[in-house]
Amino acid sequence: MQENLNSFAERLKAILGERNKHHWGIALGIGRGTIGNTFNGSVPTSEALNAISRSENVSTTWLLEGREDPYYVRKFTDDDECVNYLDAVFLERWTIYLVTDQKHLAVALTMPAQYKIKEEWVSYTPVEVLAGRCGRKTLATGEKGIAFLQGIRHQRVSADLDNLSHNKIGTYKLLNAEQPLLNQDMLAKRNQKIFDWPEETMSLTPEEHILIESFPPHGRRPKSGLQDDWGRACSTGSGQVSGMIDEIYFY
């Protein structure tokens, strides 16, 4: 995402990327004339703005005024908050992507949906991104869902994860671009490395850093006990998880 986009039209073009504006507008349910006027600087109706926001997961405040972050990200201050939120969304048919660089974790949720514009229903894919202090408990909660799938483009995940967590990646780059972030996945088993994060690589709060520095013999788990501890973490997670998730991926 470019910085210093000074007008509504410039910000809209940044969202569009390499796509054809008229094809894009038609897919959103917005007329050709409206799209042409919009890219010339005219602010569209609230109905059209809502369609753009929904389908691109983009902030209307950023589009209209250039304030705040471009894309919506739900950020959590601790792992338990992320777990509680995931427990709630498990009641609906979301597809879940776990995006990790083995040090940090973000979660992308997608599902098929529709919105109504000009008395017509338009199909789209809503996206919700969870970031912040999502970690081992979040993974344990996901593991108690259904099958995991693993993405294989590891060489790009670190930079992409940072951009995703900092409100810089929207629906298009995640799912529909020529090389989308979430484009390759394969069946993953419970013994995949994503479930064996050493505690040393996890994001720690300042309070946790103080504890580790003050009590080093007890602040770090021995590596030999990692698997047993992980098994206990899975068995004492956030409670029963509904089987209503379509798919779970990790990348």
Side-chain angles (χ1 to χ4, degrees):
M1 181 62 62
Q2 303 174 42
E3 305 293 338
N4 302 319
L5 299 172
N6 296 319
S7 70
F8 171 76
E10 289 176 339
R11 291 186 287 272
L12 194 62
K13 289 175 184 176
I15 294 295
L16 182 70
E18 70 273 14
R19 291 174 286 180
N20 178 280
K21 63 184 179 183
H22 293 297
H23 294 167
W24 173 75
I26 290 170
L28 269 58
I30 303 173
R32 190 180 185 91
T34 300
I35 285 295
N37 292 334
T38 298
F39 277 90
N40 286 329
S42 298
V43 177
T45 64
S46 58
E47 189 178 43
L49 275 173
N50 185 52
I52 295 171
S53 177
R54 283 172 178 263
S55 58
E56 302 293 334
N57 193 37
V58 66
S59 163
T60 54
T61 300
W62 179 81
L63 269 178
L64 292 172
E65 305 174 22
R67 294 188 297 109
E68 301 179 358
D69 295 308
Y71 299 105
Y72 292 117
V73 174
R74 188 181 295 270
K75 297 186 179 179
F76 299 93
T77 58
D78 61 54
D79 207 0
D80 288 325
E81 284 186 1
C82 193
V83 166
N84 291 337
Y85 189 80
L86 278 179
D87 277 343
V89 302
F90 281 173
L91 300 177
E92 300 178 319
R93 292 194 178 276
W94 290 92
T95 295
I96 298 181
Y97 298 85
L98 303 178
V99 184
T100 179
D101 60 0
Q102 290 296 111
K103 296 181 181 180
H104 308 91
L105 174 71
V107 181
L109 309 172
T110 71
M111 68 185 303
Q114 292 184 317
Y115 60 81
K116 196 172 186 180
I117 182 170
K118 296 180 179 178
E119 303 304 317
E120 294 186 4
W121 288 99
V122 174
S123 297
Y124 79 112
T125 303
V127 168
E128 185 158 7
V129 177
L130 317 181
R133 296 196 177 277
C134 304
R136 189 174 285 107
K137 291 181 181 178
T138 299
L139 289 175
T141 300
E143 190 191 25
K144 291 184 296 183
I146 62 172
F148 279 82
L149 302 176
Q150 180 186 21
I152 51 180
R153 293 169 59 217
H154 296 293
Q155 72 277 10
R156 294 189 58 196
V157 72
S158 182
D160 286 336
L161 176 59
D162 185 65
N163 288 332
L164 181 65
S165 300
H166 289 86
N167 310 73
K168 294 180 179 180
I169 295 181
T171 303
Y172 177 63
K173 185 173 181 181
L174 275 175
L175 301 175
N176 304 314
E178 185 174 341
Q179 292 185 326
L181 174 61
L182 305 175
N183 74 327
Q184 293 180 332
D185 17 81
M186 55 184 288
L187 282 172
K189 301 177 181 179
R190 290 174 182 261
N191 62 357
Q192 293 284 352
K193 289 183 179 180
I194 190 174
F195 301 122
D196 293 329
W197 279 1
E199 188 165 351
E200 292 91 330
T201 66
M202 295 291 290
S203 296
L204 300 178
T205 65
E207 292 79 9
E208 288 171 330
H209 277 295
I210 292 173
L211 286 173
I212 288 175
E213 291 172 0
S214 301
F215 306 99
H218 308 288
R220 299 182 190 274
R221 234 174 24 215
K223 291 185 178 180
S224 60
L226 184 60
Q227 192 61 44
D228 290 340
D229 284 351
W230 173 248
R232 285 194 290 274
C234 291
S235 65
T236 58
S238 60
Q240 202 68 25
V241 175
S242 167
M244 296 291 288
I245 308 166
D246 276 352
E247 295 172 308
I248 299 179
Y249 300 74
F250 73 78
Y251 170 77

